[in-house]
Amino acid sequence: MAARPELLVKNGELAGRRYTVGEGGLRLGRSSSNDVHLNDGELSRNHCLFEAVGETGLRVTDLASANGTFLNGRQLGSDPVELHPGDRIEVGSTIVEVVGDEPSPPPAGVDLGLGEATTGRKPRRTIVNLLWAVVVAVLIAAIAVVLLAPPANEPAPAAPVAPEEKPVVKELFYEKVKAGSDGIFRYELSLSADGVLSVAVDDVPKNDRRFSKSEPIDDSARAALNDILDFDRIRELDREYVGPEPDPPAVDSMSLKVVYSTRVRTVLVSNTQEPEAFRAVRERLESFSKNQLGVWAIQYSSEKLVELSEEAATLGRAKWDDRDVNHGNLFASVAAYKEAMFYLQTVHPKPAFAAEARSALDAAVAELDRRYRDQRFLADRAINLSQWETAQRELTVLLEMIPDRNDERHREAASKLLDVERRLKGGK
């Protein structure tokens, strides 16, 4: 009867150790209470369980570990999976191989012709022929070794080693929660296994604000996501950054879970200042969701959006008050007021200053339109009268008044200015 396979640790501090799985099973994990205790930061305290099945069988079960258990590169679910010799189990950064222990078959017998001859020939003749054949074979083998051996001062070429495939992002879950006695704000970003990116916001009960949107992503977006969540970058982060419980009780947490092709990584930041490395990843991830789904302000709570809106409205008023100091201040006032109203799109109810900001925006837009028309008239009149230096000056003012190069009014003035400057240089 074949013996039950054993477990061989292939790398790490226990490399080379073999373990036999008995009737009571064998548990592996980071805790010292396990049968196989590994100081591997990617392991859960109780990571997985190996069990004997029948007389010779063996199986493994993932114990709801944070980073998963992988069999031959594929992540296990919650059900036990049967193992066979040659299988490779990956837990954290440790590899365990299932090895058999079957004895090698005895070598086949060789008739040296020492028995009695059955053909009537003399035994001595048979022995002599056999000895000559052996001598010739040995000489041929020796010559081959000498001819094929590399020079003594030249090392034998190393066997090529295939580069390890870098883990790629398969699934993603990011959540930001701020909760206190007056309500809960929750922002969620996820990528499903079939490539659908989803975002959702719940801001209740103080602010009745809910929003969700989902769209599939293309290959270029996947490449961008793999760059943001580069495996080597994420693995450098600790699994937990947890501060003391605040008084009164509140929650301010961010959690990230990334399922790669061969690994799973999780990071939790709760009630403490986020590390700089995590902040850099989080900000890029939130910007990624904005670009892919066309949403931006939803990752902030209503209170934060009101704060940002009020700051923009304050800037709008300051630029309005200085509208005669600089040609571009009126345009800047319009832009600031538009930003203030943008922040308030999903905020209900609107803050008290919202109505005032809307009226101020309408007034700034009307004044900018009036001044633009007047300045354009001055520039066009100078062009029609062939007063090229005056036209150059008036068009320059027009560009300062509308500084946004994507604005059609700016592009029109810039085109006219190029023509005027050619005429000033004597061009036809």
Side-chain angles (χ1 to χ4, degrees), residues 269-285:
V269 180
S270 179
N271 293 329
T272 189
Q273 183 175 356
E274 61 182 324
E276 178 61 27
F278 182 84
R279 183 196 61 77
V281 172
R282 174 187 63 78
E283 289 184 348
R284 291 185 63 191
L285 194 58

Side-chain angles (χ1 to χ4, degrees), residues 185-206:
F185 169 76
R186 177 176 174 272
Y187 168 75
E188 175 189 311
L189 176 67
S190 64
L191 176 69
S192 65
D194 55 354
V196 176
L197 187 71
S198 301
V199 66
V201 166
D202 292 294
D203 195 0
V204 294
K206 182 179 179 181

Side-chain angles (χ1 to χ4, degrees), residues 52 84 88 101 116 145 185 187 277 310 330 417:
H84 304 90
R88 292 168 69 89
D101 195 21
E116 293 184 1
V145 169
F185 169 76
Y187 168 75
E310 195 163 16
L330 194 53
L417 181 60

Side-chain angles (χ1 to χ4, degrees), residues 154-224:
E154 182 179 329
V161 178
E164 183 179 354
E165 184 178 353
K166 192 161 189 177
V168 296
V169 177
K170 295 296 185 182
E171 296 178 58
L172 158 71
F173 182 82
Y174 166 65
E175 182 183 55
K176 177 162 60 177
V177 178
K178 295 180 181 291
S181 58
D182 56 349
I184 298 176
F185 169 76
R186 177 176 174 272
Y187 168 75
E188 175 189 311
L189 176 67
S190 64
L191 176 69
S192 65
D194 55 354
V196 176
L197 187 71
S198 301
V199 66
V201 166
D202 292 294
D203 195 0
V204 294
K206 182 179 179 181
N207 306 291
D208 187 14
R209 188 166 70 105
R210 294 179 174 87
F211 179 88
S212 63
K213 187 176 182 180
S214 299
E215 284 185 6
I217 63 173
D218 56 20
D219 291 341
S220 62
R222 278 192 175 276

Side-chain angles (χ1 to χ4, degrees), residues 366-423:
E367 178 64 13
L368 179 61
D369 287 344
R370 184 189 68 77
R371 293 193 180 193
Y372 167 77
R373 289 193 302 270
D374 292 346
Q375 186 64 31
R376 182 183 180 188
F377 171 79
L378 295 176
D380 288 346
R381 184 180 65 179
I383 292 173
N384 292 332
L385 296 175
S386 299
Q387 298 173 348
W388 306 122
E389 291 184 357
T390 301
Q392 182 185 42
R393 183 173 60 254
E394 301 299 348
L395 287 169
T396 301
V397 171
L398 204 56
L399 291 177
E400 293 175 359
M401 187 178 294
I402 311 292
D404 184 3
R405 295 185 179 184
N406 294 318
D407 193 303
E408 179 60 34
R409 295 170 295 182
H410 182 99
R411 291 198 295 265
E412 180 187 86
S415 177
K416 290 180 179 179
L417 181 60
L418 284 175
D419 182 65
V420 167
E421 289 175 343
R422 280 196 297 268
R423 293 177 181 275

